Amino acid sequence: MQGTKARPSAAPSPRSRPGLGLAMRFALREMRGGLKGFYVFIACIALGVAAISGVASVSRALVEGISAEGTTILGGDMSFRLIHRQADADEQAFLDGLGQVSRIATLRAMARVPDTGEQTLVELKAVDGAFPLYGTMELASGAALADALALRDGHHGAVVEPELLVRLGLAVGDTFRLGRAELAITDTIATEPDRLSDGVNFGPRITISDAALEETGLVQPGSLVRWIYRIRLPQGTTTDEIATLEEEAKAAFPRAGWRIQSRAEAAPGLQRNIGRLAQFLTLVGLTALVVGGVGVANAVRSYLDAKRPVIATLRCVGAEGGFVFRVYLMQIAVLASVGIVIGLVLGALIPLAAAGALAGILPVHAVAGIYPAELGLGALYGGLTALAFALWPLGRAHDVAPRLLFRDDVSGEAKRPRPAYVIATVATVTLLAGLAVVLAGDLRISLTYVGATLVVFALLALIARLIMALARRAPRPRGTELRLAIGNIHRPGALTPSVVLSLGLGLSLLVTLALIDGNLRRELGQSIAAQAPSFFFLDVQQNEREAFDALLAREAPGASIDGAPMLRGRIAAVNGVPADQLTPSEGGAWVLRGDRGITYAAQKPENAVLTEGTWWPADHSGTPLVSFEADAGADLGLKVGDTVTVNVLGREITAEIANFRRVEWESLAINFVMVFSPNTFAGAPHTHLRTLTYPDGGSDEREFALLKTLSSEFPTVTAVRVKDAIEQVNDLVAQLAWAIRAAASITLVASVLVLAGALAAGHRHRTYDAVILKTLGATRARLIAAFALEYTILGLVTAAFAVGAGTLAASFVLTRVMDTGFTFLPATAVGAAVAALVLTVGLGLIGTWRVLGRKPAPVLRNL
């Protein structure tokens, strides 16, 4: 109406509200002062992103390397593997029709030097003239393989790994015995193109010709020999065409029992292990990010605390809380982007460094390159982590009145942000956890990890509050230093939550890994070694069994001798469903992969305990029956009365499950997943397995003397000395443990960064305290003692929690996942306590020393 004064609006209209552009301009202008206070923020994000993207990129580089070198690793475009027997005439004709064929035989044997008595277990490979179809077998002298394996002066040639020369004290040109043949060492192996496809090796490699293998007499009916037929297909054959050929082979020979591989899956075992290790290391990297998230929250809170005058000024001139939130959210986003970019650069460089480091460890070349998907995964994790931990402190600045911002130094009020920010924080954390579960691969492990991390995080926050509450209610001590230390623990703005959260997760992870490593070493070096047999003897022929047992009884009086018939076979079907169509859990998949050792027995083995069903009569002659290992049967979803079809020597035999039994694998006694009734394999050629156990554990002298006698009287029997095998496994566990601990140290580095950042953020309050106390007469020595006591208390409490949480986690992994025993190791607890004390006291006193050096006058003038 005319003459009516316009009323000022209570709130600006949506059009007049500051937009994102203005918020971005304010954010960038305020960042002109530099990144002071955010170096820990950027370092934490960069470290976690680099770990995740680097691990994922290395895994991808190795998998790409396996794919790129598939034909060389496999030794052909296709591979057909048989156990115990060679391909028959029809099968050989089919293979010849596919392309060029190379036949290889692999087995374990004993190489010995009669003159010195030295002998060792070796991995033997017998090749034909077509080997290798792909790649090059390089010898140290540069000679051709065919010339090195040729018959000269009555001896077949053999090329060996240099390790064999060291073990037996030989040199090129010397001779040694293998089975019943005497062979001459003509050269050493420099590179073996198909080494990766041969699986785990327990001894140095020896390569001979197939003619030499026949002369050794090692191949007998039922001998544990793997016959591998590799095919070089016509050039241009596609992966789809190879898959079609594989189906044709299965259809034409459904009972052949051969394992077929293509160049696309040249090393499935290695690929699985790479994937599992990558999953674990990704979770370690995510732990580093979560720990770093505490540093993010500390940095944001400290930064906003320093910006209170600016925020108050903005609020006083009419800026809404939402605008303030957007300004500082954009700053955090820019800083997080800097950390993410640094982490991505480091993550992209890691595969280049790893390619050289892994070249001498893995017989496959990593295809180093830039992998956008893997880098994107690290960036996504980093961005979500920064957002999840920044939303809460940013949200608190939304509704804080200017008067409280100015008083925050004194009041220490810490209000909860409005519900929208709480919901946003919870949603972001849920998204981060869901991403970890979905992308980690193994659902059970990832769920356990995420759940454990959330529980530990919540417990650490609860413990920090409990420490502060106890310190607040503790009686006032007489000592000034201790009274001041306890007061610092519970006062407003105390460092207690930051110290406990930052160190707690990192130390808990390291304690967990150290306890798992220590228990595995103890199990291998003490428990297993104490109860394990001294020897395993393989390929004892049926006609040699009684004489062999008599020799053992004569040469090792008082020793315990055990034995069982030994065959190898593959599970072809379960309840009529082909094995390749089954989808078992990860825990049961190993039973269906490759061939398994199987046996038969009239009586229940002494070391087995039935969990379900009954054992068959000794004279059972009806339907073939089988006893299945209980855990493996549960993983496959089997029950009594189900059927299992195994392929042995090219024959498929279906047996009904009569019972399940518990097996103690850690005893290293004679154990099998499947034990059949004797009528199942009536008339089938097979060898026998024997174990020998000295009651007092034996000695090197007695064991070596027994080996020498056996090798001369039974040259075709393979002896495996368990001490040597355990030592090799122990070395492998040690190498893996060092690699895992090195990766887990990333989390500890993040913890140290966060701790340093938290201490730095508290220096302003410590400066005020120190100046006022010095003004009142406190000496520097008393102040240092008070701060040292504070840091010592926090370090000890954090270490105690880390030991407790790490012990529970390690116990769960060892007893529930690895199905082994657990023993608490006190040295690990002491190590964790020392680490916590050194970090908290050391870093704390370094920062405190700088605080104590401040002049009182400038500080007092600004109070």
Side-chain angles (χ1 to χ4, degrees), residues 25 48 56 101 209 361-362 418 471 481 513 639 662 694 704:
R25 287 201 299 273
V101 181
S209 65
I361 301 175
L362 296 176
R418 59 171 52 192
E481 293 84 355
L513 296 175
K639 60 183 183 297
R662 185 76 61 190
Y694 288 102
F704 290 141

Side-chain angles (χ1 to χ4, degrees), residues 507-588:
L507 282 177
S508 297
L509 178 62
L510 288 180
V511 170
T512 300
L513 296 175
L515 284 173
I516 292 174
D517 173 40
N519 273 270
L520 288 178
R521 286 173 170 274
R522 184 176 179 275
E523 188 75 12
L524 286 169
Q526 299 178 23
S527 301
I528 291 180
Q531 59 182 323
S534 302
F535 286 102
F536 277 86
F537 300 104
L538 310 176
D539 289 339
V540 179
Q541 297 297 319
Q542 180 72 21
N543 59 354
E544 297 177 332
R545 181 165 53 109
E546 294 183 0
F548 186 82
D549 290 345
L551 184 144
L552 292 180
R554 183 182 75 244
E555 297 294 328
S560 175
I561 301 171
D562 194 11
M566 175 77 170
L567 299 94
R568 302 288 293 189
R570 298 185 66 204
I571 295 181
V574 175
N575 290 325
V577 180
D580 56 4
Q581 297 180 17
L582 297 173
T583 55
S585 64
E586 183 63 25

Side-chain angles (χ1 to χ4, degrees), residues 615-628:
W615 201 264
W616 47 80
D619 58 351
H620 176 74
S621 60
T623 301
L625 301 176
V626 62
S627 172
F628 217 89

Side-chain angles (χ1 to χ4, degrees), residues 769-807:
D769 294 344
V771 166
I772 293 174
L773 290 171
K774 287 170 68 176
T775 303
L776 296 175
T779 63
R780 177 173 293 192
R782 281 196 164 188
L783 291 176
I784 290 178
F787 291 142
L789 283 172
E790 176 191 354
Y791 299 139
T792 300
I793 293 171
L794 293 179
L796 284 174
V797 173
T798 305
F801 172 83
V803 170
T807 300

Side-chain angles (χ1 to χ4, degrees), residues 447-733:
L447 282 174
T448 301
Y449 164 81
V450 170
T453 301
L454 293 176
V455 169
V456 170
F457 207 82
L459 285 176
L460 286 171
L462 181 63
I463 286 174
R465 290 181 176 273
L466 181 62
I467 294 173
M468 297 175 70
L470 291 176
R472 191 177 298 112
R473 291 170 173 76
R476 291 174 61 85
R478 293 184 178 180
T480 303
E481 293 84 355
L482 182 58
R483 186 166 62 248
L484 182 58
I486 293 176
N488 285 339
I489 289 175
H490 69 77
R491 70 176 189 175
L495 296 176
T496 304
S498 297
V499 172
V500 173
L501 284 173
S502 60
L503 270 184
L505 277 174
L507 282 177
S508 297
L509 178 62
L510 288 180
V511 170
T512 300
L513 296 175
L515 284 173
I516 292 174
D517 173 40
N519 273 270
L520 288 178
R521 286 173 170 274
R522 184 176 179 275
E523 188 75 12
L524 286 169
Q526 299 178 23
S527 301
I528 291 180
Q531 59 182 323
S534 302
F535 286 102
F536 277 86
F537 300 104
L538 310 176
D539 289 339
V540 179
Q541 297 297 319
Q542 180 72 21
N543 59 354
E544 297 177 332
R545 181 165 53 109
E546 294 183 0
F548 186 82
D549 290 345
L551 184 144
L552 292 180
R554 183 182 75 244
E555 297 294 328
S560 175
I561 301 171
D562 194 11
M566 175 77 170
L567 299 94
R568 302 288 293 189
R570 298 185 66 204
I571 295 181
V574 175
N575 290 325
V577 180
D580 56 4
Q581 297 180 17
L582 297 173
T583 55
S585 64
E586 183 63 25
W590 66 274
V591 182
L592 303 178
R593 288 195 291 261
D595 52 86
R596 305 257 71 82
I598 55 180
T599 188
Y600 60 85
Q603 304 293 334
K604 180 180 71 67
E606 294 183 1
N607 61 346
V609 177
L610 294 186
T611 61
E612 186 180 356
T614 57
W615 201 264
W616 47 80
D619 58 351
H620 176 74
S621 60
T623 301
L625 301 176
V626 62
S627 172
F628 217 89
E629 200 274 327
D631 291 336
D635 289 333
L636 293 176
L638 299 177
K639 60 183 183 297
V640 172
D642 287 346
T643 61
V644 175
T645 302
V646 294
N647 189 294
V648 180
L649 294 168
R651 293 177 53 204
E652 288 193 354
I653 301 172
T654 299
E656 179 182 317
I657 297 178
N659 59 73
F660 292 96
R661 70 193 192 288
R662 185 76 61 190
V663 172
E664 296 181 0
W665 297 107
E666 62 273 13
S667 69
L668 293 187
I670 297 179
N671 290 311
F672 295 86
V673 173
M674 295 173 286
V675 178
F676 291 84
S677 56
N679 64 315
T680 306
F681 302 111
H686 60 272
T687 60
H688 288 263
L689 171 68
R690 286 289 183 270
T691 63
L692 183 141
T693 306
Y694 288 102
D696 57 356
S699 63
D700 291 343
E701 293 77 9
R702 280 190 292 173
E703 291 179 2
F704 290 141
L706 176 61
L707 280 176
K708 185 175 182 180
T709 303
L710 287 174
S711 63
S712 61
E713 297 193 27
F714 295 94
T716 61
V717 172
T718 300
V720 179
R721 191 167 177 252
V722 175
K723 289 180 182 177
D724 296 336
I726 290 178
E727 184 177 346
Q728 290 185 1
V729 174
N730 224 337
D731 291 342
L732 183 61
V733 170

Side-chain angles (χ1 to χ4, degrees), residues 3-56:
T4 303
K5 294 183 180 180
R7 296 181 180 179
S9 59
S13 64
R15 292 185 180 180
S16 65
R17 289 178 180 175
L20 292 177
L22 182 61
M24 178 59 75
R25 287 201 299 273
F26 269 77
L28 295 178
R29 285 177 182 176
E30 198 168 351
M31 292 178 66
R32 291 175 180 175
L35 302 177
K36 184 178 180 181
F38 277 100
Y39 295 115
V40 170
F41 175 108
I42 294 173
C44 288
I45 296 296
L47 190 65
V49 171
I52 292 175
S53 59
V55 165

